[in-house]
Amino acid sequence: MKRWEAALLIGVFCTFLFTSFFQTAETVTDLQQHVLRMHILANSDSEADQTLKYQVRDALLAESESLFGTDAPESREQLEAAAAAHLSEMETIAQRVVQENGYAYPVQAELVTMEFTERTYEDLTMPAGTYEAVRITIGNAAGKNWWCVMYPPLCIPVAEEVAVEDAQAESYFTKEEQDVLYHPERYRVKLKVVEWVKKWMKK
């Protein structure tokens, strides 16, 4: 094989490789922009503070219909707007639980854009990255967190675990996004390469 032929083949291969990598990155970005998460941080990792965190979670979820209505939201933006309009109510509910359990921790409810690490529940893995979230902080917010996906409504709490509604995932996510959620091992290397390339290009 001549040198120019080899160079051409290498160029085609590299183009195909990086196109595949950036298509994966685009799919993950679209997925992240489609999701609204709930994030509750305990005051500390003590058993009492962790228990209190779950009590706050249960109270907020029990009031979800009164806060957000019974109709399924049509988009992340719609649910996010509803959450923004009810942050003070969520804060009041959480603060009441804290006080009823004999604590004086301050509570804050806010809408944030924040980084999440990769997290797996059952067969579904939400990739690491930047997400919109309803964030509830209790006291020093120095303890382990609890999170779930508010939109699409994928997860329901079962004690301290989360059960994933596979049918919901199929309804709300594209086939490409579902592949990322259910087969993360296929994409971790690609996403690391894309992250490295983006950092290198910024230099």
Side-chain angles (χ1 to χ4, degrees):
M1 183 181 292
K2 296 180 180 179
R3 288 186 178 180
W4 71 267
E5 292 176 328
L8 180 61
L9 285 174
I10 291 172
V12 170
F13 175 76
C14 289
T15 300
F16 172 80
L17 192 64
F18 279 96
T19 298
S20 175
F21 284 2
F22 281 98
Q23 283 176 342
T24 296
E26 185 177 2
T27 295
V28 171
T29 298
D30 289 344
L31 186 155
Q32 291 167 347
Q33 293 176 347
H34 191 56
V35 167
L36 178 65
R37 299 169 74 153
M38 176 173 279
H39 188 233
I40 304 176
L41 289 94
N43 177 67
S44 75
D45 281 335
S46 72
E47 184 176 350
D49 283 345
Q50 287 296 309
T51 298
L52 181 64
K53 174 188 70 178
Y54 290 117
Q55 290 172 321
V56 167
R57 176 202 67 182
D58 292 344
L60 288 170
L61 292 173
E63 297 290 337
S64 61
E65 288 190 0
S66 63
L67 290 168
F68 308 117
T70 56
D71 295 332
E74 296 180 0
S75 66
R76 188 213 80 197
E77 290 79 9
Q78 182 182 0
L79 183 57
E80 190 173 325
H86 293 88
L87 286 174
S88 61
E89 288 96 324
M90 286 188 276
E91 200 168 281
T92 298
I93 292 167
Q95 191 71 70
R96 184 182 69 237
V97 173
V98 169
Q99 292 173 349
E100 287 176 349
N101 282 274
Y103 297 95
Y105 302 143
V107 174
Q108 185 175 13
E110 55 187 336
L111 273 171
V112 298
T113 302
M114 61 180 290
E115 291 291 323
F116 283 86
T117 58
E118 182 181 278
R119 193 67 178 270
T120 300
Y121 282 116
E122 297 184 354
D123 296 330
L124 183 150
T125 297
M126 194 64 62
T130 304
Y131 294 84
E132 301 297 316
V134 175
R135 189 169 187 258
I136 310 293
T137 55
I138 305 171
N140 294 322
K144 293 177 182 177
N145 68 82
W146 176 87
W147 72 271
C148 197
V149 178
M150 293 180 66
Y151 184 89
L154 292 185
C155 305
I156 57 173
V158 180
E160 296 183 5
E161 299 299 323
V162 170
V164 175
E165 296 287 350
D166 291 337
Q168 292 284 58
E170 294 176 4
S171 299
Y172 285 97
F173 291 109
T174 66
K175 290 183 178 179
E176 292 79 10
E177 291 170 343
Q178 289 176 54
D179 201 40
V180 170
L181 291 169
Y182 289 102
H183 304 286
E185 70 282 354
R186 300 175 183 174
Y187 299 96
R188 290 190 181 106
V189 173
K190 288 184 178 182
L191 292 172
K192 285 292 183 182
V193 171
V194 171
E195 182 181 345
W196 179 84
V197 171
K198 287 181 177 179
K199 289 182 179 178
W200 179 79
M201 292 176 67
K202 289 180 179 179
K203 291 181 180 180

